[in-house]
Amino acid sequence: MKGGELNLNQPDFFQNPYPFYEKIRATRTPFWLAYQPQTSSAGVWLFGGYEDAVAIFKETTAISKHIRAIRPAGS
């Protein structure tokens, strides 16, 4: 599955996202979802597996929602 297969601007995704979630779980690999050009970030990784979620929640140094915890100011 590639990011081009999902357009978050489509009403179909918001009305029924579960087929997409099922595809992510079935592939058992991380999925890169590129953001729209008007945002300040390139995108986000999506993970569908329980084991992945547990590992991510336990990680405290390399994964953070606070960008300055990972990337110093000015970079």
Side-chain angles (χ1 to χ4, degrees):
M1 177 185 305
K2 296 181 181 174
E5 294 178 21
L6 175 66
N7 182 345
L8 295 182
N9 293 323
Q10 298 297 318
D12 295 349
F13 174 76
F14 290 103
Q15 291 173 358
N16 185 11
Y18 300 105
F20 172 73
Y21 298 153
E22 181 59 33
K23 287 179 185 178
I24 287 181
R25 283 191 298 275
T27 62
R28 303 187 55 84
T29 59
F31 172 80
W32 176 254
L33 178 61
Y35 282 158
Q36 301 300 320
Q38 65 270 22
T39 63
S40 62
S41 177
V44 64
W45 284 102
L46 302 177
F47 295 83
Y50 176 81
E51 295 82 10
D52 291 329
V54 169
I56 289 167
F57 286 127
K58 288 182 177 180
E59 179 58 54
T60 59
T61 56
I63 299 173
S64 176
K65 68 178 181 177
H66 303 289
I67 193 67
R68 295 296 170 228
I70 302 169
R71 186 184 321 156
S75 59

